[in-house]
Amino acid sequence: MKTKTSLLPKEGEAQPSRCPDNSAFKQQRLPAWKPQLTIASVLSCFFLTGAFCLTVGVCLVLAANSVREIQIDYSDKCSDCSKFRENSSNWNKECHCSVNFTLQEDILGDVFMYYGLQNFYQNHRRYMMSRSNAQLLGRNVKIQRSSCAPFSTYRNGTPMAPCGAIANSMFNDTIDLFYSRNSSVIQVPLLKTGNSWWTDKNVKFRNPESYNLSSAFAGTARPPYWHKPAYLLDEEDERNNGFVNDDFIIWMRVSAFATFRNLYRRLRRVRHFAEGLPAGNYTFRISYNFPVSRFKGRKHVILSTVVWSGGSNPFLGIAYLVSGTAATLAGFVITGIHLKLRKKKTYFQKQ
C-alpha cells in the first residue's frame, strides 16, 4: 500500500528561507543616483519652468496677434439661395450669390482661404466610422459590405463611390474671389491643389488602377448629395480627381468640434497679387450648394495669413501663460512657507 509523502517539514528540520539571495541586485544595493530635493533645487525648477513657459507664451500670443485675418458670414447674405436649397427638387439647379467687402490695408505674404462651418457636428461615432478605407485606397471601388451603411449602395444594388456619411455630406459650395481695380474686375488666382497633407495625398488616399479614371469608377454611382461623380470633381486638372481630390481629402479629416474651418484655396502670387492681396474692394461670388438652415448652422469664408506658429489661434499661447504663471506663483508660495518655517526654527533654537 502506497503512502502519501508529506510536503511539510518534519519536526526539528530547518524550514527553507524565502529571503532573496544576498546579492547587490536582489538586495537593491546597486549604485543609483538619488536626487536630494533641497529648497534651492526645488525653487530653481519652479522659477525656471515658469520663466520658460511665460517666454514661450508671450511669443505665441504675439505671433497669433500678428496674423491678418478677415472673416465674412454669408449665411444671411445668401438667404435666398439657402431657402432655394431647402427644396430637394432643386438639387440639380444652380443658385449664385455675391458678398462685397473692402480691405482697408494690404494683406502681404501668403494668403489662405478657408470655409468655416458652425454647429456642424462631425465628432459623432457613427458619422466618423461611416467610411471605407479599403475603397479610399483604391483596392475595392465596388465595395458593398462595409461600415458605410446606409450610404453604401442604392436600392438597386449599385455601390456608391465614395461611400459613407462623411463623403456624402462633403462641403460643395464654390467660392470665387474678384478684385475691383480701376473700374475693372479681376478674378483673383487661387490654387486648388497642394492644400492637403502629403501623407493623405500619397499614402491614405489612392485612385483605383485603370487606364481611365472614368472606367475605374464604372459600375458605381456618386453619393446622393453630390452633383458630380468622383472622377469629375475637378474638370480643369485630371490629377485632382477621384479619391485624391484635395477638397475631398480635407473634408474626410473630420473635426473634433462643432465649429471648425477647413483650408479651401491658396492665393497664387502672380501679377497684381505678387505681394499678396492689395487694399481695395473685393467680391465673393458663391455657388450655393450646401444648406445649413435645417441644423441652425452658419457658413463663413475666411481670408488669413499664417506665421511660424500657425494661424490666428491664441489658445496654445494662453495655455503656456497660465502654466508659467501657476509655476511662478507656486515658487513664491513655497519660498514664503520656507522663510516662515525657518524663522520659527531659529526662534525655537534661541529659546
Side-chain angles (χ1 to χ4, degrees):
M1 183 175 179
K2 295 181 179 180
T3 59
K4 296 181 179 180
T5 58
S6 176
L7 298 178
L8 298 175
K10 296 180 180 180
E11 294 183 1
E13 293 183 357
Q15 296 184 1
S17 175
R18 301 180 63 182
C19 295
D21 296 337
N22 188 19
S23 62
F25 177 76
K26 292 187 177 181
Q27 294 297 333
Q28 299 183 9
R29 293 196 301 267
L30 292 175
W33 178 68
K34 299 178 181 180
Q36 299 295 328
L37 297 179
T38 62
I39 187 64
S41 61
V42 172
L43 289 179
S44 61
C45 288
F46 273 97
F47 285 118
L48 288 176
T49 302
F52 173 78
C53 291
L54 288 174
T55 303
V56 175
V58 170
C59 293
L60 289 173
V61 170
L62 292 177
N65 292 335
S66 66
V67 173
R68 294 290 310 280
E69 179 177 299
I70 178 172
Q71 178 172 314
I72 296 175
D73 188 330
Y74 65 94
S75 303
D76 297 332
K77 297 179 181 179
C78 297
S79 57
D80 293 338
C81 286
S82 179
K83 295 177 182 178
F84 182 82
R85 282 284 170 242
E86 292 300 327
N87 189 348
S88 59
S89 61
N90 297 325
W91 70 272
N92 59 344
K93 300 178 183 179
E94 294 185 357
C95 186
H96 301 272
C97 61
S98 299
V99 180
N100 300 320
F101 66 98
T102 301
L103 287 182
Q104 302 296 338
E105 299 179 355
D106 297 344
I107 300 182
L108 303 178
D110 294 327
V111 181
F112 299 83
M113 179 188 293
Y114 302 83
Y115 63 84
L117 290 177
Q118 183 177 343
N119 206 35
F120 188 93
Y121 290 86
Q122 289 187 312
N123 56 1
H124 193 282
R125 183 177 179 275
R126 292 186 61 187
Y127 180 88
M128 296 174 61
M129 298 295 294
S130 184
R131 59 186 293 165
S132 172
N133 292 324
Q135 185 190 56
L136 297 176
L137 285 170
R139 297 173 182 172
N140 187 3
V141 181
K142 301 179 181 179
I143 192 167
Q144 295 184 354
R145 294 184 178 180
S146 65
S147 57
C148 291
F151 299 102
S152 55
T153 59
Y154 286 91
R155 293 183 179 180
N156 59 2
T158 304
M160 299 180 189
C163 68
I166 307 177
N168 183 55
S169 61
M170 176 180 168
F171 182 86
N172 56 355
D173 281 1
T174 302
I175 306 173
D176 294 318
L177 181 60
F178 293 87
Y179 171 55
S180 299
R181 181 176 183 270
N182 298 331
S183 69
S184 62
V185 178
I186 303 173
Q187 184 170 3
V188 179
L190 301 173
L191 296 172
K192 297 181 180 180
T193 57
N195 301 325
S196 58
W197 292 9
W198 185 92
T199 51
D200 289 346
K201 187 83 171 182
N202 297 276
V203 179
K204 295 184 179 180
F205 293 84
R206 293 280 185 176
N207 279 329
E209 296 182 359
S210 178
Y211 68 93
N212 192 327
L213 193 58
S214 60
S215 63
F217 284 88
T220 65
R222 56 175 175 77
Y225 291 169
W226 283 29
H227 294 166
K228 300 177 181 179
Y231 55 87
L232 291 178
L233 288 177
D234 189 351
E235 299 180 5
E236 299 177 0
D237 189 353
E238 295 180 356
R239 298 170 297 178
N240 193 34
N241 275 315
F243 298 145
V244 296
N245 176 266
D246 276 50
D247 292 339
F248 173 71
I249 291 175
I250 291 173
W251 178 259
M252 292 299 291
R253 184 175 289 276
V254 296
S255 174
F257 301 100
T259 300
F260 61 92
R261 64 175 64 178
N262 285 335
L263 181 59
Y264 182 67
R265 296 289 184 265
R266 290 180 296 124
L267 175 66
R268 185 181 179 187
R269 297 174 62 178
V270 294
R271 298 191 300 275
H272 307 294
F273 311 98
E275 301 297 328
L277 289 179
N281 298 321
Y282 289 84
T283 301
F284 283 122
R285 293 183 183 176
I286 302 166
S287 177
Y288 198 104
N289 299 308
F290 194 87
V292 295
S293 57
R294 287 192 176 182
F295 57 87
K296 298 180 181 179
R298 311 285 299 181
K299 292 194 293 187
H300 308 82
V301 59
I302 303 106
L303 294 174
S304 175
T305 60
V306 296
V307 291
W308 60 271
S309 61
S312 177
N313 187 356
F315 174 79
L316 185 60
I318 295 174
Y320 268 101
L321 290 176
V322 172
S323 301
T325 303
T328 305
L329 290 177
F332 281 116
V333 170
I334 295 175
T335 302
I337 295 174
H338 171 68
L339 294 176
K340 185 176 181 180
L341 293 178
R342 189 173 64 175
K343 288 181 179 180
K344 286 186 177 180
K345 185 177 179 180
T346 304
Y347 173 77
F348 285 114
Q349 286 178 351
K350 290 181 179 180
Q351 293 294 330

